[in-house]
Amino acid sequence: MIASASHRPLAIAHRGGALLAPENTAQAFRSAALAGADAVETDIRLTRDGALVCVHDADLRRLCGDPRAIADLDLATLRRLLPPVMTLAEAIAVSAPLGLLLDVKRMEPEVLPPILAAVQAAEAGPRTLLGLRDFGLIAAARALAPAAAILAFADDPDSAAAARTAGADWFRLWQGDATAERAAAVRAADLRLAVMVGQPRAVPLPEYPPFPVGGVDRDGLDRLRALTPDAILLDDPRLLAGETEPPAAPPP
């Protein structure tokens, strides 16, 4: 993963920059680059005919009102329903020269070889970070690609040591879980820290932070800066660069 041009954390545009343009699209990637992002994050799923595509949800209900699952559609049908959808190869090309965080939604080890092959074919390994959600999958990825950079999207915020044992280089904390003690535990495990802003849901509950996934305000960013994370994932990378005012917190 490339380094930030300043002393601030890496600004990783969540879903390519979901507040700048439609999520996980080439337009979002390009907008994130213009907004000063250091990297873009995108989601990886597999179609029925084996295409690796950049779609967050398991189905198309939210994106275009179709109830079918991505895994049940072939690429041609998916492109007809969701024209801006990118394949992994397209995302790798469009994201250059930014860093690229791949949030792999599938859990089976069989998904790893085609992902790694696409990254290798594009010579994008040095700027790519694999985001994996299962320690077994992390171990499998480490065995297949000893030099790959791997981020653990762990459910348990206190599992940094286990993530390191599995082979991770990075560890994700949600903003609400990001305490000084947990940040220290991530460092003690010899991992780099990435913080995902907002809550792990599209509609937040009445608790801190008062934003859905990807949303953050100035107070939240100031709290996170105090933890000196290596990267922050957010929908609008301009907020981290200080180029625009963040939204006000919604009413309780």
Side-chain angles (χ1 to χ4, degrees), residues 43-118:
D43 305 283
I44 302 299
R45 292 192 178 274
L46 199 64
T47 64
R48 186 180 64 192
D49 53 345
L52 294 162
V53 292
C54 301
V55 184
H56 176 271
D57 297 1
D59 59 48
L60 293 174
R61 293 178 190 272
R62 178 176 63 89
L63 294 175
C64 63
D66 193 299
R68 286 177 289 179
I70 304 301
D72 294 334
L73 301 171
D74 58 35
L75 179 59
T77 302
L78 179 59
R79 286 197 187 278
R80 186 169 66 252
L81 294 168
L82 195 66
V85 69
M86 289 191 291
T87 64
L88 173 57
E90 291 166 343
I92 293 171
V94 173
S95 65
L98 300 180
L100 179 62
L101 169 54
L102 303 177
D103 183 349
V104 180
K105 298 299 188 183
R106 300 292 290 261
M107 297 291 193
E108 63 274 17
E110 291 77 15
V111 76
L112 294 173
I115 291 174
L116 294 169

Side-chain angles (χ1 to χ4, degrees), residues 124-148:
R127 63 182 182 88
T128 300
L129 181 59
L130 283 178
L132 304 176
R133 299 174 175 276
D134 176 81
F135 291 160
L137 196 61
I138 290 173
R142 179 58 64 217
L144 288 170

Side-chain angles (χ1 to χ4, degrees), residues 5-226:
S6 68
H7 295 296
R8 64 167 170 76
L10 288 168
I12 302 180
H14 176 239
R15 301 187 196 176
L19 279 182
L20 304 176
E23 65 184 54
N24 289 323
T25 63
Q27 182 185 357
F29 280 28
R30 295 186 181 106
S31 297
L34 291 174
D38 301 293
V40 290
E41 178 265 352
T42 194
D43 305 283
I44 302 299
R45 292 192 178 274
L46 199 64
T47 64
R48 186 180 64 192
D49 53 345
L52 294 162
V53 292
C54 301
V55 184
H56 176 271
D57 297 1
D59 59 48
L60 293 174
R61 293 178 190 272
R62 178 176 63 89
L63 294 175
C64 63
D66 193 299
R68 286 177 289 179
I70 304 301
D72 294 334
L73 301 171
D74 58 35
L75 179 59
T77 302
L78 179 59
R79 286 197 187 278
R80 186 169 66 252
L81 294 168
L82 195 66
V85 69
M86 289 191 291
T87 64
L88 173 57
E90 291 166 343
I92 293 171
V94 173
S95 65
L98 300 180
L100 179 62
L101 169 54
L102 303 177
D103 183 349
V104 180
K105 298 299 188 183
R106 300 292 290 261
M107 297 291 193
E108 63 274 17
E110 291 77 15
V111 76
L112 294 173
I115 291 174
L116 294 169
V119 172
Q120 182 178 17
E123 300 181 347
R127 63 182 182 88
T128 300
L129 181 59
L130 283 178
L132 304 176
R133 299 174 175 276
D134 176 81
F135 291 160
L137 196 61
I138 290 173
R142 179 58 64 217
L144 288 170
I150 300 174
L151 183 150
F153 281 116
D155 291 331
D156 181 357
D158 297 312
S159 61
R164 183 58 177 168
T165 298
D169 308 287
W170 288 70
F171 192 81
R172 186 277 315 274
L173 286 175
W174 282 95
Q175 184 180 351
D177 295 327
T179 62
E181 292 77 16
R182 287 192 173 116
V186 172
R187 305 292 186 200
D190 196 27
L191 293 166
R192 300 181 73 182
L193 173 61
V195 178
M196 177 72 242
V197 303
Q199 296 183 20
R201 51 187 61 87
V203 179
L205 298 177
E207 58 194 41
Y208 184 84
F211 292 102
V213 57
V216 68
D217 60 8
R218 183 66 59 207
D219 176 66
L221 284 176
D222 288 344
R223 294 192 197 190
L224 293 180
R225 288 178 197 272

